[in-house]
């Protein structure tokens, strides 16, 4: 469950047509907007005032949008378009039947896994909207356990580190397959060297030594 103060509750439904008309998207994406989305509701509005925060920040409002879907596997470019063209910071709760997925945009889209309402656990942490926003990004976007334990770096550094770890894991798997297939000794040796380098870097990053 998402435990948000009652003072932030809005629960205002937004007409789909009025919503997508303000978006600069292709006709095909507008068609998907209509066909894939059932309803959009502003669930919560997080502001300095209704959260009784002291610090002023460049972020003035964070909106929690609930989007009920007709299709679970829908085009997330719709969500990205909404996030990129909206002046507010947006936390999306995508809902399909009895499942929910959290989506947040920070340079790119980050999605949680699909889960039941009971499994969903998001909290507000921070003394300002900037801190709360960074923490929401961490809760939704950071899924690597090693990265999640590194509290001494910024959220942007965490995301960059997580991306690099994921890329190294892909490189290692790809190179392992290439090593087994390669017949020429020189090329095989070069691939093996690459594999060792990837593995060494991955160990350093996951051990927090890099």
């Amino acid at each position: 469950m998402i435990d948000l103060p009652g003072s932030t509750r809005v629960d205002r439904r937004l007409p789909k047509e009025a919503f997508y008309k303000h978006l600069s998207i292709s006709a095909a994406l507008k068609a998907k907007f209509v066909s894939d989305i059932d309803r959009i509701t502003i669930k919560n509005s997080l502001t300095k005032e209704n959260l009784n925060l002291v610090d002023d920040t460049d972020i003035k409002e964070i909106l929690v949008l609930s989007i009920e879907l007709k299709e679970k596997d829908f085009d997330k470019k719709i969500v990205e378009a909404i996030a990129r063209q909206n002046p507010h910071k947006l936390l999306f709760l995508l809902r399909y039947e009895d499942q929910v997925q959290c989506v947040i945009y920070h340079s790119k889209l980050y999605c949680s896994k699909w889960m039941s309402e009971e499994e969903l656990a998001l909290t507000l942490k921070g003394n300002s909207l900037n801190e709360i926003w960074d923490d929401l990004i961490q809760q939704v976007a950071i899924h690597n356990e090693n990265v999640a334990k590194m509290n001494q770096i910024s959220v942007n550094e965490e995301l960059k580190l997580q991306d690099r770890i994921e890329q190294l894991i892909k490189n290692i798997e790809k190179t392992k397959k290439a090593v087994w297939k390669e017949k020429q000794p020189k090329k095989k040796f070069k691939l093996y060297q690459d594999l060792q380098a990837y593995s060494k870097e991955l160990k350093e990053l996951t051990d927090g030594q890099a």
Side-chain angles (χ1 to χ4, degrees), residues 69-118:
L69 304 174
K70 297 178 183 178
E71 300 287 342
K72 185 176 181 179
D73 187 23
F74 89 117
D75 195 338
K76 285 191 172 65
K77 288 180 181 178
I78 296 172
V79 174
E80 184 174 351
I82 294 172
R84 289 170 66 100
Q85 298 179 47
N86 196 293
H88 303 94
K89 297 296 184 183
L90 302 177
L91 170 65
F92 298 89
L93 302 179
L94 306 184
R95 300 179 184 278
Y96 180 73
E97 295 181 348
D98 60 347
Q99 291 190 304
V100 62
Q101 181 184 51
C102 297
V103 178
I104 204 163
Y105 181 82
H106 185 70
S107 298
K108 68 177 185 179
L109 281 184
Y110 292 94
C111 306
S112 73
K113 65 177 183 178
W114 283 98
M115 66 192 86
S116 67
E117 191 80 35
E118 290 71 27

Side-chain angles (χ1 to χ4, degrees), residues 35-48:
S35 64
D36 294 354
I37 293 177
D38 186 22
R39 69 174 62 185
I40 302 174
T41 305
I42 301 178
K43 299 297 290 183
N44 300 84
S45 167
L46 312 179
T47 66
K48 173 188 172 184

Side-chain angles (χ1 to χ4, degrees), residues 9-210:
R9 188 173 300 156
V10 177
D11 284 331
R12 185 172 78 248
R13 184 175 176 179
L14 299 175
K16 287 194 302 180
E17 295 76 10
F19 199 88
Y20 74 71
K21 282 181 181 178
H22 296 288
L23 296 177
S24 177
I25 55 179
S26 66
L29 205 55
K30 283 184 180 180
K32 288 183 179 180
F33 194 109
V34 175
S35 64
D36 294 354
I37 293 177
D38 186 22
R39 69 174 62 185
I40 302 174
T41 305
I42 301 178
K43 299 297 290 183
N44 300 84
S45 167
L46 312 179
T47 66
K48 173 188 172 184
E49 290 72 26
N50 63 31
L51 291 175
N52 294 317
L53 302 174
V54 176
D55 297 337
D56 285 315
T57 59
D58 56 321
I59 297 177
K60 303 304 179 185
E61 186 176 26
I62 301 170
L63 295 179
V64 181
L65 290 186
S66 174
I67 300 182
E68 296 183 32
L69 304 174
K70 297 178 183 178
E71 300 287 342
K72 185 176 181 179
D73 187 23
F74 89 117
D75 195 338
K76 285 191 172 65
K77 288 180 181 178
I78 296 172
V79 174
E80 184 174 351
I82 294 172
R84 289 170 66 100
Q85 298 179 47
N86 196 293
H88 303 94
K89 297 296 184 183
L90 302 177
L91 170 65
F92 298 89
L93 302 179
L94 306 184
R95 300 179 184 278
Y96 180 73
E97 295 181 348
D98 60 347
Q99 291 190 304
V100 62
Q101 181 184 51
C102 297
V103 178
I104 204 163
Y105 181 82
H106 185 70
S107 298
K108 68 177 185 179
L109 281 184
Y110 292 94
C111 306
S112 73
K113 65 177 183 178
W114 283 98
M115 66 192 86
S116 67
E117 191 80 35
E118 290 71 27
E119 289 179 282
L120 179 60
L122 281 179
T123 58
L124 299 185
K125 182 181 177 182
N127 297 314
S128 69
L129 286 180
N130 278 16
E131 290 180 4
I132 288 172
W133 178 247
D134 282 351
D135 190 65
L136 287 172
I137 293 172
Q138 290 174 316
Q139 291 181 68
V140 175
I142 302 299
H143 50 80
N144 182 281
E145 292 182 2
N146 298 97
V147 177
K149 295 175 183 177
M150 298 179 184
N151 298 319
Q152 304 302 316
I153 60 177
S154 70
V155 64
N156 286 329
E157 290 172 321
E158 286 181 338
L159 293 171
K160 183 178 179 181
L161 177 59
Q162 181 172 264
D163 287 344
R164 181 55 183 165
I165 288 173
E166 290 177 350
Q167 185 60 56
L168 284 170
I169 291 172
K170 290 179 182 178
N171 289 349
I172 288 170
E173 291 304 311
K174 182 179 179 180
T175 307
K176 280 182 179 179
K177 292 178 181 178
V179 167
W180 286 107
K181 291 180 180 179
E182 184 55 57
K183 302 300 182 182
Q184 296 185 27
K186 287 186 178 179
K187 290 184 178 180
K188 195 178 188 73
F189 181 68
K190 175 62 171 60
L191 287 169
Y192 184 70
Q193 286 182 314
D194 290 342
L195 181 60
Q196 286 185 312
Y198 294 144
S199 299
K200 181 176 182 291
E201 184 182 354
L202 180 61
K203 186 177 187 306
E204 290 175 344
L205 293 180
T206 53
D207 287 347
Q209 297 174 0

